Amino acid sequence: MRIVMLGAPGAGKGTQAKKLIEKYKIPQISTGDILRQSVAEGTPLGKEAKGFMDRGELVPDKVVLGLVEERLGQPDCKAGFILDGFPRNTAQAAALDGMLSKIGKPLQLAISVDVPFEDLMKRLTGRRTCRTCGQMYNVYFNAPAKEGKCDKDGAELYQRDDDKEETIRKRLQVYESQTAPLIEYYGGKGIVRRIKGTGSISDIFNAITAEIDKAGGK
Ligand code: AMP
């Protein structure tokens, strides 16, 4: 399956994408994860992206499109992929359509995980991630047994730089103005499925997999 996950920052796209890759054995491509890794490694790409990310703005399309095209060309994407955090605006969506139509493999589903605005703030300000294994927690809803430490491996939990309150407001604003219009963009192509993103992680997962299975599953 070739799937795009839509939804505001904090809607749970990444969490669901990680579960979906296990079930469907296709890779998750998170532009945010790739960019964060480049920042951590101090690569030229990371240096270019960091300022935009710290301000909660979108990294320029040219930068992101280059890395997505490169990633989609890798062999593990042949059987499909789950794009998480990309596209973020209609220019990126149109560019993606172009890349996929060149290889005759259009997108099959755009899954929008919908969460009310008020809930997103708490989810994002409370989010903590394990430095070692990437396991995510939330100090409000899903706190680790021991404050600041991962339940799985005891490593330190950290807060993403862009999960600070001021940056979060900006990211949500950017989502509303630039990314939310993609629901209509893909709606026009008949491939949007809207999923209620509140409730248990497994209920949301079941709702998503029901849509994927209906659409053909592979
Ligand atoms: P995310 O982890 O998806 O919330 O992304 C974190 C940050 O990375 C965003 O706030 C942007 O600065 C940048 N970013 C991630 N994906 C994209 C994209 N598709 N286009 C532009 N910037 C992006």
Side-chain angles (χ1 to χ4, degrees):
M1 283 296 275
R2 295 175 297 279
I3 301 171
V4 161
M5 300 290 290
L6 298 174
K13 303 183 295 292
T15 304
Q16 293 296 333
K18 285 196 175 66
K19 288 171 70 71
L20 292 169
I21 61 177
E22 274 172 37
K23 181 170 164 82
Y24 295 100
K25 312 286 180 224
I26 50 178
Q28 168 198 16
I29 302 174
S30 158
T31 44
D33 283 351
I34 297 172
L35 290 167
R36 272 186 292 282
Q37 198 181 338
S38 306
V39 170
E41 289 169 356
T43 65
L45 171 72
K47 290 199 174 109
E48 191 174 352
K50 186 173 187 320
F52 295 98
M53 295 172 77
D54 287 348
R55 291 190 298 274
E57 295 168 9
L58 294 184
V59 172
D61 290 347
K62 184 172 56 73
V63 175
V64 176
L65 288 170
L67 69 87
V68 169
E69 183 149 37
E70 202 264 336
R71 183 66 189 87
L72 288 177
Q74 289 172 16
D76 63 335
C77 292
K78 282 225 161 63
F81 49 78
I82 298 170
L83 280 164
D84 160 18
F86 177 92
R88 283 288 233 278
N89 58 30
T90 45
Q92 291 183 6
L96 175 65
D97 283 345
M99 287 176 213
L100 295 177
S101 76
K102 257 198 276 179
I103 53 172
K105 292 190 162 174
L107 271 186
Q108 291 160 295
L109 274 185
I111 295 170
S112 173
V113 183
D114 299 337
V115 172
F117 192 80
E118 314 81 70
D119 296 358
L120 295 169
M121 212 56 206
K122 247 187 168 174
R123 288 195 185 192
L124 290 164
T125 52
R127 184 152 76 176
R128 301 291 182 276
T129 310
C130 174
R131 261 198 210 290
T132 310
C133 72
Q135 177 67 39
M136 303 223 268
Y137 298 87
N138 188 292
V139 298
Y140 300 111
F141 311 117
N142 171 31
K146 204 164 156 222
E147 197 188 323
K149 301 281 180 223
C150 180
D151 290 348
K152 285 189 175 167
D153 57 21
E156 185 203 3
L157 303 182
Y158 74 100
Q159 183 177 32
R160 276 169 45 173
D161 284 343
D162 60 353
D163 277 346
K164 308 280 157 66
E165 193 158 332
E166 206 183 296
T167 315
I168 288 169
R169 283 190 194 288
K170 177 69 185 173
R171 288 165 65 211
L172 292 174
Q173 222 175 3
V174 167
Y175 172 78
E176 278 304 317
S177 63
Q178 303 199 45
T179 311
L182 293 181
I183 296 174
E184 216 165 294
Y185 177 93
Y186 289 121
K189 297 175 185 293
I191 60 169
V192 166
R193 302 292 179 273
R194 300 194 73 156
I195 304 288
K196 191 164 136 276
T198 48
S200 77
I201 290 176
S202 63
D203 285 349
I204 300 166
F205 182 67
N206 291 338
I208 294 174
T209 55
E211 291 297 343
I212 294 176
D213 294 342
K214 249 191 273 172
K218 302 198 268 186

